[in-house]
Structures are given as structure tokens and as C-alpha cells.
Amino acid sequence: MFRALALVPLLAALICAVDALPKITRTGRYLYDESGNRFYIKGIAYQEQGVVVVSADNPFGEPSSFVDPLAMESACNRDLPFLQQLGVNTVRIYSVDSTLNHDACMSAFSKAGIYTIIDLALPLNGSIDRVSPSWSTNLLELYTNTIDAFSKYDNVLAYNVGNEVVIQNATNVAPYVKAAARDIKAYLKSKGSSALVGYAAINGQAGWRGDLANFLSCDPSNSNSDSTSIDLYGLNDYEWCGDSTFEKSYATTTQAYSQYNVAAYFSEFGCVSSPPRLWTEAIALFGSDMNTVWSGGIAFSYFPAASAAGQFGMVTISDDQSTVITSDDFDKLKTEYGQINFINSPSQTSAGSPSYPSCPASSSTFLASTTLPPTPNEAACNCLESTLSCQFTPQTANYSAVVGEVINNACGLLGEKGGSCTDIGGDGQTGVYGRIAACDPIVKASFVMSQFYEANNRQQVTCSFDGNGTVNQAAPSSVSAANVAASSCVANPNAVFTPSAAPTNGAGGSAQTSGSSNNNNNNNNNHSGSLAVGVDPNALLGMTLMAAIAALGGIFTLA
Ligand SMILES: *[C@@H]1O[C@H](CO)[C@@H](O)[C@H](O)[C@H]1NC(C)=O
Ligand SMILES: *[C@@H]1O[C@H](CO)[C@@H](O)[C@H](O)[C@H]1NC(C)=O
Ligand SMILES: *[C@@H]1O[C@H](CO)[C@@H](O)[C@H](O)[C@H]1NC(C)=O
Ligand SMILES: *[C@@H]1O[C@H](CO)[C@@H](O)[C@H](O)[C@H]1NC(C)=O
Ligand SMILES: *[C@@H]1O[C@H](CO)[C@@H](O)[C@H](O)[C@H]1NC(C)=O
């Protein structure tokens, strides 16, 4: 009796040990499991499409809301047998809510040998806005909250710091993405996590596609350091349509990445323009023409995902959410995935030593400085905020819907008074970043509002901003004292600050509700079937005005 009971914990421990998925790590440009076998991502995108507003300049339609698929136990259990039929070892998830519980889904997937690639950005104000980019405290916190929520699981393969953020006419956003990769990498290291840092790129034109890939995996300090490099480059590639061949579809792209230094895979694939999809590209992707360059890919998409180009989904879910109905598309992918044998070479010992080359030069088609935005420093921003004499106090909790306009108005007014908004702006092309550009939009708004208020000798009415501002009675009593206090908060904005896990992790974290104004993030690439996380160009509209506002020196400036 006693002996039998005593065995229970031991048995449980054994079962756990058996169940734990092997860690996947990167050596050079390849991924390996703990036994030294090459790891290939045989995956599928797993996220229901959010609310999408399709417009002329947003043909795919990026979602403005999301449902976290890893927080729905019954849905995961419903879908798991189908994921297993497909034989996938990885699912890609585009948006998760760190405040929810993911234990059931993560554990079910882990037991089934399924890893996750988790995108850290969220729709709207939860991602780097390519129209007025910023890598700021609120985004860093959003990203690290998600990592904190998922770090206890054994089946997180990678975290993506962005999806299709950089596009043809916004290559100057690349330094912000690289800054995010740098900080997330440092954060994961501080937690002792071996999860990979990834980015999923749109399949852009040759003039900048390769530069971006190299930029994300280069070392700006020319010392072969990995500290700002991604580990896993994803290409959302829809080049193989219908009954095609390697030569006709993937050869050129594969050649283009033949010298790449970190692991690469197709973060989405599965063109719908010549139906039915045959999924024969999967055989090519994992075959000997491609396996030395790519580590597999993510078929797009398990759930229905409609675009102007067509329907990417492979299953439909019954109205009562209980039943999965598969399509021919599903059956064909199952057949093709079922025929794949991973080629176990090169071996880990011959994978080569790590290499982080110097960064590509900026060019007329790739406008990215190797001077990256600084690491967002929440303590500095909070300190600054406490000194500001006029504070942004929106009447709505949904402040992201108004903050852009408030900043915009305040910058306009400040400009008329001879002030400037350069301290809250930045430019990824020149590599010049305002000294509080990494603070969140609330602090930025308060900062600009305070400047205007000070410029008007603290006349109360000039802190109103139509009811969005409140005088901060606790602020230093004079303009000059406020200036000194504010400056001391951000005295050394370039000081190296490494985000690291707090010694004790509270359950804290801001709930992210999304669904503010319509976003028109422009995915004008017909290959894109992405559930790309949108950004709200209106959120920080003020930034676009900044260039037009003359900098005539300070009324209340950071000395
Ligand atoms: C890119 O071009 C599109 C249309 O040509 C435009 O709507 C969009 O605002 C541009 N984006 C940036 C960041 O300039
Ligand atoms: C987005 O805005 C909402 C309010 O509208 C806020 O609660 C949330 O924290 C914001 N998210 C980020 C990442 O800034
Ligand atoms: C706050 O600012 C927004 C945007 O400018 C404006 O629409 C709103 O009327 C202002 N006042 C209040 C009380 O929200
Ligand atoms: C936030 O405001 C926008 C409009 O500005 C609205 O469409 C959205 O529903 C609001 N979100 C929430 C959670 O109230
Ligand atoms: C899709 O892109 C390809 C190559 O980028 C181009 O040749 C084709 O015309 C595009 N089709 C549409 C419908 O835009």
C-alpha cells in the first residue's frame, strides 16, 4: 500500500521528463534538437481571423481585433486531432493575450509534440507603426508580458518581434524592428530562455528584401556579436502557385538566401491564385534543393482567412464551434506533409561557427540607419512624467483612439509658439531619435502638452486641450525647475539599459483591448496572405506633422 503510493510521485516525474519537448537551438544557420538532429518547422498558421475591414489600399485586410487561440481549451482540444492528422510539429500564432491562461492549450500541444511560434505584436497600438514608428516602453512591456506568460512552457520555439512591418516605402522602419529584436533577445537571455528571436518578412522586391534580411542579422558594431541579431528569419512566401516546380517558383529566392547567416524558413506559404492548392511545394521546401537554405515553413492557414486573393483556410468550424469540417485543401496538405522525410544534414558539428557580418549600407531602396533606437527605459519615462506640469488625462480608457489627435493638436499649437516636437519623434533613416521617443504615447502627449502650457506661462486654460489635459499640481513650481527635473530624468538617454526579468514576477500586465480606429496598414503585395498585425497610423498622427514644425528653440526643452 505504502509502496504503491510512494511510487506515484516518481512515476509522475518520469512521465514529465518523457513528455518535455526537446529544446530547439540554433547553430549557425540551422536548427537542431537536443540529440543533434536537424529541426525543420513543419507547421501551420493557427489563428482565427480577427475583425477585418478590407479597403482599396488594404486588399487583404489586416485585423483590428483578435481572439487568442491558445486561451481556448475546448477549441484546442477540438483542433488537435486535425493538427495531428496533418503531422505538424509547429503552429504559428499571431496574437495572444498575456493576461489569459494558456496552460491547457500549451500542454496539449506540447504532449502532441507541437511547438509554437508566437508573434509578440498585437493589432493597432500593439505593434510598431510604420507610418510614425516608435519602439517604446508600452511595446516593450507588451512584448515582455507575453514572454513572461509563456516562458514556463517547453514548446515555445520562437517569438516574432514583427510581421511585415517593413515594406517597400517604409524601409526606414527597419531600425525599430532591429531594436525590438535586440531588446527581446536581451530579455530572453536574462530569463535563461533559449527561445529564438524571429521576424516574419513580406516577400518584398529584390532592391531591399535581402538588405532587410541581412540588416536584421548583422552586427552594427562589427565585432561578430549576436546581440542585435534575430535568430530566425521568416519569409512570407507565396511564389509557388498551382502545379509549379522548384525551378519555376522558389529557385531564385532560394539562391538569394544561399549565404544567409541565421536560420530561415517560410513564415507563411500556400498561394491561392491557381486553385486547387496541391501543396506539392512542401515536398520541394523540405527537399534537397532547399533544405540547406531553409528550415521548413508554415502553411497558411488552418482557420478560414479570406483575402482579395482568395480563401486560405483549410477547415471550417461549425456554428456551435464544436465540429471541424476539413476541405480538400486540408486533405492535400495532409498527403504532402505525410510524405516528408527530414534530411538530417548538415550535422550540428559541421554547421559552422556563428557569423554576424557587418550591416548592409543604406541605399536608395533601403533607407535604414545602423544607429538603432535606444532601449525604452520605463523608469526614465515615469520619472519624466512626474515632472510634467500638464498631463494627458483622457476621458476615455480607450485613449489610443484620441492620443494621436491630441499630440497632433498640441504639436501644432506648440509650433505656433515657436516650439518643436523633435524630442518625441525619430528618424530611422538618419538614425536620430528624440530623447523621449521611447516613452509611451501618454508620456509623449503629456510632454508636448506641458511644453505648450509652459510656453503660455502656465495659464490654466492652455492645459485643457478640449478636456484632455489636467494641471499637475505636483510638478516643480517653475518652468526652470521643471526643466531641470525633466532633464535629469533623461540625463543619459543613450546609457545602455538592458531589459531584464524582474526578480519576482507579479501577475501584472496591462490588459490589451484592441479595436480602436480602423487601420489601413497597406499591404499592397498580392503575395501576402498574412494575418499581419496592423498598426494604427492614426495613433500617433502627430509625428507626421513634426517635420513641418519649425524648431525655434526651447521654451521648455530638455537641456
Ligand atoms: C506607402 O505608400 C502608400 C500608397 O502608395 C501610402 O498610402 C502609405 O502611407 C505609404 N507609407 C509610408 C510609410 O509612407
Ligand atoms: C493600447 O491602447 C489601450 C487603450 O486604448 C491601452 O489599454 C493599451 O495598453 C495600449 N497598448 C499598448 C501596447 O500601448
Ligand atoms: C480629447 O481629444 C479628442 C481628440 O482631439 C477630442 O475628440 C475630444 O473631444 C477631446 N476631449 C475629450 C473630453 O475627450
Ligand atoms: C475605441 O475607440 C474606437 C473609435 O475611436 C472604437 O471603434 C472602438 O470600439 C473603441 N474600443 C473600445 C474597446 O471601446
Ligand atoms: C502579383 O504580383 C506579381 C509579381 O509580384 C505581379 O506580376 C502580378 O501582376 C500581381 N498580381 C496582381 C493581381 O496584383
Side-chain angles (χ1 to χ4, degrees), residues 64 124 396-402 512-518 536:
S64 58
L124 303 175
T396 164
N398 191 0
Y399 67 82
S400 63
V402 297
Q512 341 47 44
T513 43
S514 55
S516 68
S517 53
N518 173 22
D536 185 4

Side-chain angles (χ1 to χ4, degrees), residues 499-513:
S500 57
T504 52
N505 272 326
S510 51
Q512 341 47 44
T513 43

Side-chain angles (χ1 to χ4, degrees), residues 275-366:
R277 289 198 283 190
L278 304 172
W279 293 110
T280 42
E281 67 262 50
I283 303 296
L285 179 54
F286 293 89
S288 57
D289 284 330
M290 296 180 73
N291 87 300
T292 54
V293 175
W294 305 102
S295 293
I298 299 283
F300 192 84
S301 144
Y302 181 79
F303 291 109
S307 97
Q311 175 56 257
F312 291 83
M314 285 175 247
V315 306
T316 46
I317 308 295
S318 64
D319 287 344
D320 68 0
Q321 300 293 307
S322 69
T323 311
V324 176
I325 302 126
T326 59
S327 65
D328 289 349
D329 211 13
F330 177 96
D331 295 335
K332 291 204 173 71
L333 181 63
K334 180 177 153 183
T335 303
E336 300 303 318
Y337 264 2
Q339 290 174 28
I340 288 164
N341 293 310
F342 297 143
I343 301 172
N344 194 16
S345 72
S347 68
Q348 193 162 15
T349 45
S350 54
S353 47
S355 149
Y356 304 95
S358 57
C359 296
S362 173
S363 73
S364 61
T365 48
F366 186 66

Side-chain angles (χ1 to χ4, degrees), residues 41 43-45 90-92 117 265-269 297-300:
I41 295 162
I44 192 164
T90 309
V91 288
R92 180 174 173 204
I117 294 175
Y265 74 119
F266 285 174
S267 36
E268 293 174 3
F269 70 97
I298 299 283
F300 192 84

Side-chain angles (χ1 to χ4, degrees), residues 57-58 62 124-125 127-133 400 404-405 408 516-522 534-544:
D57 65 354
N58 185 18
E62 297 185 24
L124 303 175
N125 65 332
S127 46
I128 295 169
D129 181 341
R130 69 170 81 99
V131 176
S132 45
S400 63
E405 204 174 310
N408 201 16
S516 68
S517 53
N518 173 22
N519 79 84
N520 54 7
N521 212 359
N522 190 5
V535 290
D536 185 4
N538 299 317
L540 282 178
L541 203 58
M543 302 295 186
T544 55

Side-chain angles (χ1 to χ4, degrees), residues 59-360:
F60 182 75
E62 297 185 24
S64 58
S65 68
F66 73 95
V67 176
D68 181 342
L70 295 177
M72 300 196 296
E73 179 174 4
S74 56
C76 293
N77 289 334
R78 175 197 66 203
D79 296 328
L80 186 54
F82 296 91
L83 298 172
Q84 289 177 301
Q85 280 186 46
L86 290 171
V88 298
N89 63 12
T90 309
V91 288
R92 180 174 173 204
I93 318 288
Y94 292 80
S95 311
V96 295
D97 181 343
S98 64
T99 65
L100 302 178
N101 186 319
H102 303 94
D103 291 352
C105 288
M106 290 302 282
S107 148
F109 286 179
S110 172
K111 283 181 185 138
I114 296 174
Y115 293 85
T116 53
I117 294 175
I118 294 173
D119 284 53
L120 295 169
L122 291 182
L124 303 175
N125 65 332
S127 46
I128 295 169
D129 181 341
R130 69 170 81 99
V131 176
S132 45
S134 151
W135 171 238
S136 43
T137 53
N138 55 316
L139 290 177
L140 176 60
E141 189 190 356
L142 170 73
Y143 282 25
T144 57
N145 282 347
T146 297
I147 290 167
D148 288 347
F150 282 89
S151 59
K152 58 178 170 287
Y153 305 123
D154 65 4
N155 57 336
V156 179
L157 176 66
Y159 295 104
N160 282 336
V161 296
N163 179 63
E164 302 192 352
V165 182
V166 183
I167 57 169
Q168 173 85 14
N169 63 346
T171 52
N172 59 347
V173 186
Y176 294 88
V177 175
K178 192 169 175 69
R182 171 199 62 201
D183 295 342
I184 292 312
K185 188 147 192 163
Y187 189 71
L188 289 170
K189 277 184 188 166
S190 81
K191 289 182 79 89
S193 167
S194 62
L196 307 169
V197 177
Y199 175 76
I202 198 166
N203 192 2
Q205 292 171 13
W208 59 273
R209 184 183 68 172
D211 283 342
L212 172 63
N214 293 330
F215 182 82
L216 293 175
S217 64
C218 72
D219 175 18
S221 72
N222 294 321
S223 51
N224 202 28
S225 158
D226 76 335
S227 62
T228 68
S229 171
I230 56 169
D231 301 297
L232 185 61
Y233 170 84
L235 184 65
N236 293 340
D237 187 303
Y238 292 88
E239 289 177 295
W240 180 307
C241 301
D243 184 17
S244 191
T245 62
F246 169 73
E247 290 303 332
K248 279 192 276 184
S249 299
Y250 290 152
T252 305
T253 295
T254 297
Q255 177 59 32
Y257 289 85
S258 60
Q259 302 302 316
Y260 199 48
N261 59 320
V262 299
Y265 74 119
F266 285 174
S267 36
E268 293 174 3
F269 70 97
C271 168
V272 291
S273 75
S274 308
R277 289 198 283 190
L278 304 172
W279 293 110
T280 42
E281 67 262 50
I283 303 296
L285 179 54
F286 293 89
S288 57
D289 284 330
M290 296 180 73
N291 87 300
T292 54
V293 175
W294 305 102
S295 293
I298 299 283
F300 192 84
S301 144
Y302 181 79
F303 291 109
S307 97
Q311 175 56 257
F312 291 83
M314 285 175 247
V315 306
T316 46
I317 308 295
S318 64
D319 287 344
D320 68 0
Q321 300 293 307
S322 69
T323 311
V324 176
I325 302 126
T326 59
S327 65
D328 289 349
D329 211 13
F330 177 96
D331 295 335
K332 291 204 173 71
L333 181 63
K334 180 177 153 183
T335 303
E336 300 303 318
Y337 264 2
Q339 290 174 28
I340 288 164
N341 293 310
F342 297 143
I343 301 172
N344 194 16
S345 72
S347 68
Q348 193 162 15
T349 45
S350 54
S353 47
S355 149
Y356 304 95
S358 57
C359 296

